[in-house]
Amino acid sequence: MIKHANRYWRVLATGFSFVLFALGGLLLRILVFPVLNLLIWERQLRVLVARRVIRLVFRGFVGCMRWLGVLDYDIRGLERLERQGLLILANHPTLIDTVFLMAFVKRADCIVKRRLWDNPFTRGPIRAAGYISNEYCGNEHGGGLIEDCTRSLQRGSNLIIFPEGTRTAGDGQINLKRGAANIAVRSLSNVTPIVIRCLPPTLGKGVKWWQVPPIAAHFSIEVKEDIDVHEFLAKAGSEVLAARHLTAYLQDYFRKESQGYAAA
């Protein structure tokens, strides 16, 4: 009886969390960011302040979900994020991975799907923070996207990318696209991997928000040691081969890390 009551509560709390997230984005768009536009004229400074606001709001949102009993989490290796100009690549098991990373990564930048730029609940924060649009992804070589990402890293932003391009498939198999490795190789940026694990699984691909697990999900987020991109370039001899080898390495890396946790 108690287990059933707890599960029903988490369904309600999860629904409330989604409503809260949407309303929060709308309020930021209507009340907060217009004030920033009036007070801060210099665009880059305004973007930095907007990103800090979003980080604090997301930190509060994650804390609220924990307080409601929807989930719990632990983070390891957070001190490795106390740097600037990081290229952060992470696996993507759940819908709220972005929220977690944006809540704990300072000076965070990210690549955002075009549809979110036009969503009334998300477009205010996204545009105010100057995140990178993925509209270039349809290009043959994605040159514009790589250039935007390189500039972001050079400005000292910590760029968050999910190399899978979408959430991990329901069977748990991780399949990476080559775009993230291209950015790493072309910008000569070492990779800072973040492994996100969630047990029991929740908010995965194809899972509805009300399909909560039997017990509250526990997120384990681990910032791993950097991966040296220069070694791949030196061995491959070309950017194309280096990106291909790096993608294969990262795919195997994230698969092993995820499976190792599940087995444990």
Side-chain angles (χ1 to χ4, degrees), residues 91-167:
N91 61 318
H92 199 0
T94 84
L95 183 63
I96 58 173
D97 301 329
T98 305
V99 175
F100 265 109
L101 295 190
M102 299 295 282
F104 291 98
V105 176
K106 296 178 181 178
R107 298 176 61 92
D109 196 359
C110 62
I111 299 174
V112 180
K113 293 179 180 179
R114 184 67 205 180
R115 62 180 176 82
L116 294 179
W117 278 78
D118 301 320
N119 185 300
F121 299 108
T122 57
R123 72 185 186 190
I126 286 171
R127 295 183 182 192
Y131 297 139
I132 299 169
S133 172
N134 73 340
E135 62 183 349
Y136 295 112
C137 289
N139 295 355
E140 184 180 354
H141 301 292
L145 180 65
I146 292 175
E147 290 166 4
D148 283 352
C149 292
T150 301
R151 281 193 293 269
S152 177
L153 292 165
Q154 289 172 345
R155 285 194 296 263
S157 299
N158 292 324
L159 181 60
I160 300 169
I161 300 178
F162 297 98
E164 294 172 85
T166 185
R167 278 175 285 171

Side-chain angles (χ1 to χ4, degrees), residues 27-189:
L27 289 175
L28 286 174
R29 174 190 169 192
I30 295 172
L31 299 178
V32 177
F33 295 131
V35 174
L36 285 184
N37 290 337
L38 291 174
L39 296 179
I40 306 175
W41 286 22
E42 201 279 305
R43 183 182 182 279
Q44 194 55 40
L45 177 59
R46 189 168 65 245
V47 164
L48 290 176
V49 174
R51 291 179 180 179
R52 179 171 176 78
V53 169
I54 291 170
R55 183 169 70 89
L56 293 175
V57 169
F58 279 10
R59 183 79 68 93
F61 177 72
V62 169
C64 180
M65 293 186 77
R66 171 188 260 179
W67 180 75
L68 289 170
V70 173
L71 53 80
D72 197 7
Y73 64 86
D74 66 78
I75 303 175
R76 288 173 285 174
L78 198 58
E79 70 281 354
R80 295 193 183 101
L81 300 180
E82 295 293 328
R83 297 172 288 165
Q84 296 184 13
L86 299 176
L87 177 58
I88 297 170
L89 304 187
N91 61 318
H92 199 0
T94 84
L95 183 63
I96 58 173
D97 301 329
T98 305
V99 175
F100 265 109
L101 295 190
M102 299 295 282
F104 291 98
V105 176
K106 296 178 181 178
R107 298 176 61 92
D109 196 359
C110 62
I111 299 174
V112 180
K113 293 179 180 179
R114 184 67 205 180
R115 62 180 176 82
L116 294 179
W117 278 78
D118 301 320
N119 185 300
F121 299 108
T122 57
R123 72 185 186 190
I126 286 171
R127 295 183 182 192
Y131 297 139
I132 299 169
S133 172
N134 73 340
E135 62 183 349
Y136 295 112
C137 289
N139 295 355
E140 184 180 354
H141 301 292
L145 180 65
I146 292 175
E147 290 166 4
D148 283 352
C149 292
T150 301
R151 281 193 293 269
S152 177
L153 292 165
Q154 289 172 345
R155 285 194 296 263
S157 299
N158 292 324
L159 181 60
I160 300 169
I161 300 178
F162 297 98
E164 294 172 85
T166 185
R167 278 175 285 171
T168 306
D171 60 4
Q173 287 299 309
I174 294 175
N175 296 294
L176 305 191
K177 294 180 170 59
R178 203 176 297 172
N182 275 323
I183 293 168
V185 169
R186 293 274 296 277
S187 66
L188 296 177
S189 298

